[in-house]
Amino acid sequence: MADKILKKLNIKVWRQKNAASKGKFETYTIENISTGSSFLEMMDILNNELIEKGIDPIAFDHDCREGICGTCSLYINGRPHGPDTEVTTCQLHMRKFKDGETITVEPWRAAAFPVIKDLVVDRTAFEKILQAGGFISVNTGGVPDANAIPVAYEDAEEAMDAAACIGCGACVAACKNSSAMLFVSAKVSHLAKLPQGKVEAKKRALNMVAKMDELGFGGCTNTGACEVECPKSISITNIARLNREYLGARLSK
Amino acid sequence: MSKFLAASIGRKFLMSITGLFLVAFIAVHLIINLMLIFDDSGELFNLAAHFMATNPVIKIMEPLLGLGFLIHILWSFYLEYQNWRARPVKYNKKDASTSSTWASRNMLVLGALVLVFLIIHIINFFWVIKFEPHTLDTVIIGGEEMEDTYTLVSNLFKGSVAYCIFYILGGLLLGFHLSHGFWSAFQTLGINNNHWMKRWHVLGYIYAVIVAVGFSVIPLYFLIKF
Ligand code: HEM
Ligand code: SF4
Ligand code: FES
């Protein structure tokens, strides 16, 4: 399929100088964008044009640009990572948009993710949650023999599925309550499902949830929006597991 | 305990337990109410209502039920307020319908409307039966004298199309609330996994439809028949 050219697009984007300033939307026009280019390439082209005009380029997060690092964000046309499923913003292509369209680009919105500049938000809150328990501290020795510790196939699969989380924060951005439950449940699950992680499972669930609450994320009301918008399709059954782990840990304490 | 309820999952736990308690109550309530349309003489419903009013188990459950409602309602407003605060700056453009159902996003709206219904419903029937029983006629069924609750209920529906529609709407609203609430309660309690996800959703929809249809069919019956 040959790439088409989008003759004209209006990019309505959130501009904010720094964390303290108020911020507002600006609309820029951009012409002749190939449908084969990625959304971030379009943003790069737009930024070049802005620089030539002497306007401060739009700040946005990006790193690997291949959907594995979790750095890119952007709330595009009302959806985190834009109008496509199972992709990050860096993997989103311009063929998903129509010629002449106005594309609204906003940062993740959550009390726990304050805007630093334009579309860049501070996601340190996720690091803090991980520091509260997203690790194992038992000594597992050197590299063990394969199959020395048997792990059931289903457990391994579920752990690997949960471990696919790249920590992008789209779940928080998608949630009407800005809840971080999908992220936390993925991080709790991928360890809780494996023998090495079981040792500290209870403490981990309690501490990570306590940290999540402390940082100002909202509570889960099971709308399921997070799973749909998650680029890695992390299942909300992980949230059920986190609820189970947490309630169990509370009861046995 | 207070520490448990301060945590997000603890708070949700209380919501789901009270919700499931109300789910059980609504099931019993519906079964009793359906007797209204299966015996036009009113005997069946009067007997059931009398049994409920005098049964010691029900008497113990009554204040518990009031408490359940109160906690569920007050707590829901508090939790939604907290969730609302977690996003101080709102989005300019939202496309929420691609990723979640309308009911799941509007549980408080649905709940609050159910609350409006509930208040008027209590004034209509519960209040009269409980605190003004002398205003009711009595009937003698099987040699026992009891309040004629059937006439109280059927007169309201026979005499007012507006009330019939109001009660139909009440049933539908509760059905919508439960279309999300039912499965959500089990998810909150952690009683869910890949296999049960689908099952809870299906069971929830079935229960919600039974509640919505079951409750609205009663005023509809009086509307059409009388
Ligand atoms: C009368 C006013 C009511 C209000 C204001 C209300 C409000 C709410 C709210 C805000 C939620 C949380 C939404 C969520 O977690 O997604 C909720 C959940 C729920 N409600 Fe209600 N509700 C009411 C009545 C009822 C009734 C009568 C029933 C049962 C027949 C019921 C059953 C449930 C259930 C099962 C849940 C799910 C709990 C969970 O997700 O853990 N509610 N309600
Ligand atoms: S759960 Fe999904 S949406 Fe949330 S941080 Fe992980 S990868 Fe991103
Ligand atoms: S830039 Fe790494 S996932 Fe998008």
Side-chain angles (χ1 to χ4, degrees):
Chain A
M1 194 178 74
D3 294 330
K4 290 199 198 78
I5 298 293
L6 300 170
K7 288 204 188 69
K8 191 182 150 202
L9 292 167
N10 301 310
I11 313 296
K12 181 180 169 186
V13 55
W14 182 257
R15 302 303 314 258
Q16 183 173 334
K17 254 204 184 70
N18 53 47
S21 67
K22 210 156 170 286
K24 62 173 192 307
F25 282 100
E26 292 284 356
T27 304
Y28 304 106
T29 314
I30 185 165
E31 291 174 351
N32 298 324
I33 294 293
S34 163
T35 52
S37 57
S38 78
F39 192 85
L40 294 187
E41 280 165 349
M42 183 278 291
M43 292 293 284
D44 292 336
I45 296 168
L46 176 59
N47 269 344
N48 274 336
E49 291 180 8
L50 292 183
I51 291 167
E52 276 170 25
K53 285 182 200 153
I55 302 171
D56 197 20
I58 304 156
F60 60 87
D61 267 328
H62 61 101
D63 188 15
C64 74
R65 296 213 179 191
E66 56 183 2
I68 56 171
C69 74
T71 308
C72 59
S73 55
L74 306 191
Y75 197 85
I76 305 160
N77 275 353
R79 295 179 64 188
H81 295 303
D84 203 349
T85 43
E86 295 187 38
V87 298
T88 51
T89 291
C90 60
Q91 294 173 295
L92 176 69
H93 280 75
M94 292 311 293
R95 65 180 73 96
K96 287 279 159 189
F97 300 91
K98 285 199 269 317
D99 201 5
E101 191 176 346
T102 296
I103 305 173
T104 307
V105 191
E106 300 172 71
W108 286 174
R109 294 293 190 194
F113 287 164
V115 173
I116 301 170
K117 183 176 164 64
D118 295 338
L119 302 169
V120 179
V121 298
D122 181 357
R123 282 171 284 186
T124 316
F126 270 9
E127 314 299 331
K128 287 185 185 155
I129 293 173
L130 289 179
Q131 283 160 12
F135 50 81
I136 57 167
S137 45
V138 292
N139 191 347
T140 53
V143 180
D145 285 343
N147 303 330
I149 306 169
V151 178
Y153 174 75
E154 287 81 18
D155 289 344
E157 283 295 304
E158 284 193 73
M160 289 309 284
D161 284 348
C165 167
I166 52 176
C168 63
C171 42
V172 175
C175 177
K176 83 187 225 310
N177 312 319
S178 300
S179 168
M181 282 289 275
L182 193 64
F183 167 76
V184 175
S185 73
K187 297 304 175 194
V188 161
S189 289
H190 80 100
L191 296 175
K193 275 272 148 190
L194 299 176
Q196 297 89 335
K198 282 216 169 75
V199 186
E200 295 156 297
K202 281 184 182 163
K203 212 173 85 191
R204 178 178 308 114
L206 292 175
N207 290 346
M208 290 179 80
V209 169
K211 195 44 124 188
M212 167 186 90
D213 291 347
E214 181 197 314
L215 292 166
F217 292 101
C220 177
T221 57
N222 304 325
T223 67
C226 52
E227 176 181 319
V228 177
E229 300 295 14
C230 170
K232 302 297 164 187
S233 296
I234 302 292
S235 165
I236 55 171
T237 51
N238 288 302
I239 295 181
R241 182 178 298 108
L242 173 59
N243 288 335
R244 198 155 63 232
E245 294 269 335
Y246 182 88
L247 293 171
R250 266 266 166 266
L251 286 177
S252 64
K253 236 179 99 172
Chain B
M1 186 67 186
S2 67
K3 205 172 153 196
F4 177 62
L5 291 181
S8 57
I9 297 179
R11 293 195 293 254
K12 249 332 265 284
F13 177 80
L14 193 57
M15 223 30 226
S16 68
I17 289 293
T18 54
L20 285 179
F21 182 52
L22 296 179
V23 162
F25 156 72
I26 288 292
V28 177
H29 193 27
L30 179 61
I31 292 169
I32 304 273
N33 284 14
L34 283 175
M35 297 182 182
L36 281 162
I37 62 170
F38 287 109
D39 176 13
D40 286 340
S41 79
E43 274 197 13
L44 195 59
F45 181 71
N46 273 334
L47 277 173
H50 184 65
F51 172 77
M52 294 304 274
T54 50
N55 185 312
V57 178
I58 303 297
K59 279 210 161 126
I60 297 169
M61 290 308 279
E62 206 176 79
L64 270 181
L65 180 64
L67 194 68
F69 264 111
L70 216 61
I71 293 175
H72 187 79
I73 295 164
L74 295 178
W75 205 235
S76 75
F77 279 91
Y78 171 60
L79 292 196
E80 290 274 339
Y81 168 68
Q82 288 207 320
N83 290 342
W84 178 80
R85 270 201 335 182
R87 175 163 295 148
V89 184
K90 312 293 174 203
Y91 288 111
N92 178 269
K93 183 172 180 185
K94 267 196 300 186
D95 181 5
S97 59
T98 39
S99 55
S100 60
T101 61
W102 185 87
S104 75
R105 277 177 277 127
N106 292 281
M107 288 295 275
L108 188 70
V109 175
L110 286 168
L113 289 173
V114 170
L115 178 61
V116 171
F117 169 83
L118 191 68
I119 292 168
I120 295 174
H121 175 52
I122 285 177
I123 295 170
N124 285 157
F125 302 135
F126 181 81
W127 193 266
V128 180
I129 296 164
K130 194 82 190 165
F131 301 110
E132 299 166 346
H134 51 276
T135 63
L136 291 174
D137 290 337
T138 56
V139 283
I140 293 169
I141 302 172
E144 199 181 343
E145 188 177 18
M146 57 185 74
E147 287 85 26
D148 189 3
T149 333
Y150 178 81
T151 303
L152 174 71
V153 177
S154 58
N155 275 354
L156 184 84
F157 290 149
K158 284 177 192 169
S160 162
V161 176
Y163 264 121
C164 284
I165 293 171
F166 179 71
Y167 271 78
I168 292 170
L169 285 179
L172 294 178
L173 284 171
L174 189 56
F176 273 113
H177 189 72
L178 289 165
S179 70
H180 177 67
F182 186 93
W183 90 270
S184 173
F186 293 97
Q187 169 84 358
T188 300
L189 294 177
I191 311 171
N192 204 357
N193 59 24
N194 287 330
H195 303 293
W196 277 89
M197 184 66 82
K198 186 95 196 224
R199 294 173 198 169
W200 286 133
H201 269 101
V202 171
L203 283 174
Y205 282 128
I206 293 174
Y207 182 79
V209 168
I210 290 177
V211 165
V213 173
F215 279 108
S216 6
V217 92
I218 298 165
L220 208 60
Y221 174 82
F222 284 99
L223 197 63
I224 293 168
K225 182 131 189 229
F226 300 98

